[in-house]
């Protein structure tokens, strides 16, 4: 079994320049985006403090990609829903759910690519579009499913006892689902280790 190569260190300086320690060259956010697409692991640290700022830099890469003409992947409604989860009681569940969803999407993408290689025609592209639509619908529905549990959402108010029982039952079911998701995610190897 081949040993996993340690991630490359990228240092970010006060002048916002990024320095690739492996090649001893300055790189851009576009270079880092290319590294991600190629499956190259890296961490970004603040050159002065040594703080790991990888998450912030990956966020910058996404922001730049989203601002490119025709490159948008994240619908405005998704971004709004995501922002609403910050500080919410469901915040802890969202990262695991998103990771699970992206893993599923990646597996579907690989299946679709294999089908396209066999068929290579307009029907293959149509199948891919249909799968993308189905995945987005699934994800959107899952996000809407959580909205009623927000305390500031009108459906979250339990003024009538029957409604309170329904909400308690839904919360119990969500807890069970969360436990099952955690069991599933613990049972598979993680690429972050």
């Amino acid at each position: 079994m081949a040993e996993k190569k340690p991630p490359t260190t990228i240092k970010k300086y006060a002048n916002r320049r990024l320095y690739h320690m492996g090649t001893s060259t300055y790189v851009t956010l576009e270079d880092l985006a290319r590294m991600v697409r190629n499956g190259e692991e890296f961490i970004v640290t603040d050159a002065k403090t040594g703080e790991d700022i990888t998450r912030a830099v990956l966020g910058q890469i996404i922001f730049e990609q989203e601002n490119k003409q025709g490159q948008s992947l994240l619908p405005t409604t998704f971004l709004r829903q995501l922002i609403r989860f910050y500080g919410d009681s469901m915040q802890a569940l969202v990262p695991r759910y998103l990771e699970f969803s992206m893993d599923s999407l990646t597996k579907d993408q690989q299946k679709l690519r294999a089908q396209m290689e066999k068929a290579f025609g307009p029907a293959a592209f149509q199948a891919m579009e249909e799968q993308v639509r189905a995945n987005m619908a699934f994800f959107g529905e899952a996000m809407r499913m959580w909205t009623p549990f927000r305390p500031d959402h009108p459906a979250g108010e339990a003024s009538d006892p029957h409604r309170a029982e329904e909400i308690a039952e839904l919360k119990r079911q969500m807890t069970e689902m969360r436990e099952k998701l955690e069991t599933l995610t613990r049972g598979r190897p993680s690429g972050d280790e």
Side-chain angles (χ1 to χ4, degrees), residues 10-177:
I10 309 291
K11 288 193 175 187
K12 185 172 185 179
Y13 289 91
N15 62 3
R16 298 176 57 184
R17 292 190 75 183
L18 299 161
Y19 189 76
H20 190 296
M21 300 299 290
T23 61
S24 300
T25 58
Y26 286 101
V27 293
T28 64
L29 289 176
E30 187 58 42
D31 294 326
L32 295 182
R34 193 174 307 107
M35 290 173 68
V36 170
R37 285 190 288 273
N38 292 336
E40 297 176 50
E41 295 290 326
F42 61 84
I43 59 168
V44 183
T45 60
D46 182 285
K48 187 175 182 180
T49 65
E51 178 187 0
D52 184 342
I53 57 172
T54 307
R55 180 183 306 268
V57 171
L58 291 172
Q60 285 179 302
I61 292 169
I62 291 170
F63 180 75
E64 281 201 0
Q65 296 296 313
E66 284 292 308
N67 283 323
K68 287 184 179 179
Q69 190 72 20
Q71 293 285 319
S72 180
L73 289 176
L74 303 173
T76 304
T77 53
F78 168 79
L79 293 171
R80 290 180 197 280
Q81 289 171 332
L82 193 59
I83 290 168
R84 286 182 188 118
F85 280 111
Y86 285 96
D88 187 87
S89 61
M90 298 299 288
Q91 182 175 344
L93 180 61
V94 173
R96 287 188 181 137
Y97 177 79
L98 291 175
E99 185 178 346
F100 178 77
S101 296
M102 289 304 291
D103 286 346
S104 296
L105 180 62
T106 301
K107 289 174 189 167
D108 288 344
Q109 180 184 17
Q110 290 169 348
K111 290 176 192 173
L112 284 170
R113 282 187 178 161
Q115 290 173 355
M116 285 173 55
E117 285 176 11
K118 289 179 184 177
F120 198 77
F125 291 104
Q126 184 180 6
M128 186 170 84
E129 286 176 359
E130 289 172 11
Q131 186 64 48
V132 168
R133 274 191 223 102
N135 285 338
M136 290 306 290
F138 168 76
F139 187 74
E141 187 59 35
M143 294 300 275
R144 276 190 293 280
M145 218 172 59
W146 289 338
T147 303
F149 297 107
R150 294 181 43 80
D152 60 340
H153 191 278
E157 298 171 5
S159 55
D160 119 62
H162 181 67
R163 184 82 175 140
E165 289 174 22
E166 288 177 350
I167 291 173
E169 176 61 19
L170 290 171
K171 285 181 180 179
R172 185 191 64 73
Q173 290 174 1
M174 282 299 296
T175 300
E176 286 177 12
M177 285 176 28

